[in-house]
């Protein structure tokens, strides 16, 4: 469970990114966050694994007070939370397999990590993770030879390798064409069906409504909509985006 209680975030330059967020996300939910650029979507996601510190309030994840975590406790906490980025964050000059294996580096001795001496159990888990997103045949292909959609599937496999209970995705399909974006979203849905909580920041409203069961709408650091995806209509979108828009064709 993820629980925000009166959480605010103010950046050093004075920008108020989040204001008095009260929010509970239960285990196994698929939640999409929508809103204009700069509304606070990425900040909200990145406070959950303490990539960004909150300024006030309380944020609890799986029973842990996130603000109190540091050092090895924070590293252990993050092992249970996967993170997917728009830019894939792969090492381009090595294989898909090696990119997935990199997820295990924090569990290894510095020497074994440096020389790439991964135990067989880790190698098998990496292959299983690639297979789970249907890209096993590219295991020994260099990342720079993969398409954008394939790279994002490798990034998802890398996250799955550590058996997370939560996956955070920050605009994971923003750089993909519409057909490939839907294919990648299919894998997020598959992962969610396996019981993993998905919290996904996305600017394609159509995809948010198609794949998520719950939608959060953020405007100026505040949640202005929190409800089922099938209840989002033109009035809701106007409240989130602030302008009159044609429903179903919003990308912001």
């Amino acid at each position: 469970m993820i629980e925000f209680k009166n959480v605010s975030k103010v950046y050093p330059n004075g920008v108020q990114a989040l204001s008095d967020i009260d929010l509970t996300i239960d285990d196994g939910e698929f939640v999409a966050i929508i809103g204009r650029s700069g509304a606070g979507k990425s900040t909200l996601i990145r406070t959950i694994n303490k990539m960004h510190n909150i300024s006030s309030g309380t944020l609890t994840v799986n029973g842990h007070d996130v603000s109190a975590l540091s050092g090895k406790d924070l590293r252990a906490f993050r092992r249970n939370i996967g993170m997917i980025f728009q830019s894939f964050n792969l090492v381009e000059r090595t294989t898909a397999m090696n990119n997935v294996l990199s997820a295990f580096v924090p569990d290894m001795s510095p020497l074994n990590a440096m020389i790439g001496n991964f135990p067989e159990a880790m190698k098998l888990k990496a292959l299983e993770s690639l297979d789970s997103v249907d890209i096993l045949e590219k295991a020994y292909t260099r990342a720079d030879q993969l398409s954008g959609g394939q790279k994002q599937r490798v990034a998802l496999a890398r996250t799955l390798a550590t058996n997370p209970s939560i996956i955070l995705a920050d605009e994971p399909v923003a750089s993909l064409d519409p057909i490939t974006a839907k294919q990648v979203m299919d894998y997020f849905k598959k992962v969610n069906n396996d019981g993993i909580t998905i919290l996904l920041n996305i600017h394609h409203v159509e995809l948010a409504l198609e794949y998520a069961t719950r939608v959060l709408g953020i405007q100026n650091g505040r949640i202005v909509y929190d409800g089922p995806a099938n209840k989002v209509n033109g009035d809701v979108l106007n409240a989130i985006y602030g302008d009159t828009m044609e429903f179903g064709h919003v990308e912001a």
Side-chain angles (χ1 to χ4, degrees), residues 88-96 99 102 142-144 158:
F88 319 126
N89 281 18
L90 301 182
V91 179
E92 294 282 323
R93 294 187 177 184
T94 193
T95 64
N99 272 284
S102 70
R142 279 179 32 148
D144 58 6
R158 179 181 57 195

Side-chain angles (χ1 to χ4, degrees), residues 19-30:
S19 299
D20 298 321
I21 299 294
D22 285 306
L23 173 67
T24 299
I25 297 169
D26 292 323
D27 295 342
E29 287 200 84
F30 192 141

Side-chain angles (χ1 to χ4, degrees), residues 37-135:
S37 298
K41 304 188 302 296
S42 292
T43 300
L44 181 70
I45 282 181
R46 293 176 183 226
T47 60
I48 293 171
N49 61 358
K50 208 180 180 184
M51 288 184 70
H52 294 330
N53 291 309
I54 63 174
S55 301
S56 61
T58 304
L59 172 55
T60 306
V61 179
N62 293 336
H64 298 280
D65 180 351
V66 176
S67 294
L69 296 172
S70 62
K72 66 179 182 179
D73 291 333
L74 177 59
R75 290 191 293 272
F77 166 76
R78 285 175 171 166
R79 299 292 284 155
N80 194 44
I81 301 177
M83 185 79 189
I84 305 289
F85 300 91
Q86 175 182 342
S87 58
F88 319 126
N89 281 18
L90 301 182
V91 179
E92 294 282 323
R93 294 187 177 184
T94 193
T95 64
M97 177 71 164
N98 284 338
N99 272 284
V100 177
L101 284 170
S102 70
F104 299 117
V105 167
D107 301 325
M108 301 173 64
S109 70
L111 177 60
N112 282 332
M114 183 176 64
I115 64 176
N117 185 24
F118 294 94
E120 285 302 311
M122 290 182 179
K123 294 178 182 178
L124 286 173
K125 182 62 178 177
L127 291 171
E128 289 173 2
S129 298
L130 287 165
D131 191 35
S132 71
V133 293
D134 298 326
I135 199 166

Side-chain angles (χ1 to χ4, degrees), residues 112-237:
N112 282 332
M114 183 176 64
I115 64 176
N117 185 24
F118 294 94
E120 285 302 311
M122 290 182 179
K123 294 178 182 178
L124 286 173
K125 182 62 178 177
L127 291 171
E128 289 173 2
S129 298
L130 287 165
D131 191 35
S132 71
V133 293
D134 298 326
I135 199 166
L136 182 60
E137 75 279 3
K138 299 293 186 180
Y140 299 103
T141 301
R142 279 179 32 148
D144 58 6
Q145 297 174 11
L146 300 176
S147 68
Q150 290 170 336
K151 289 179 180 180
Q152 198 58 289
R153 284 154 63 191
V154 171
L156 183 54
R158 179 181 57 195
T159 294
L160 293 173
T162 59
N163 298 317
S165 65
I166 299 168
I167 291 180
L168 309 174
D170 195 359
E171 299 285 7
V173 298
S175 62
L176 305 179
D177 65 78
I179 294 175
T180 305
K182 284 180 65 67
Q183 292 171 345
V184 170
M185 290 295 291
D186 285 340
Y187 287 103
F188 278 105
K189 190 66 175 179
K190 177 183 177 182
V191 166
N192 178 247
N193 288 339
D194 290 336
I196 298 176
T197 304
I198 303 289
L199 190 59
L200 184 145
N201 164 16
I202 187 167
H203 73 272
H204 293 284
V205 173
E206 298 94 333
L207 293 179
L209 303 188
E210 180 177 352
Y211 286 92
T213 52
R214 178 179 174 189
V215 170
L216 301 178
I218 296 186
Q219 185 186 78
N220 297 325
R222 297 181 181 275
I223 295 176
V224 296
Y225 177 79
D226 179 0
N230 60 13
K231 297 295 184 182
V232 175
N233 56 29
D235 290 338
V236 170
L237 292 178

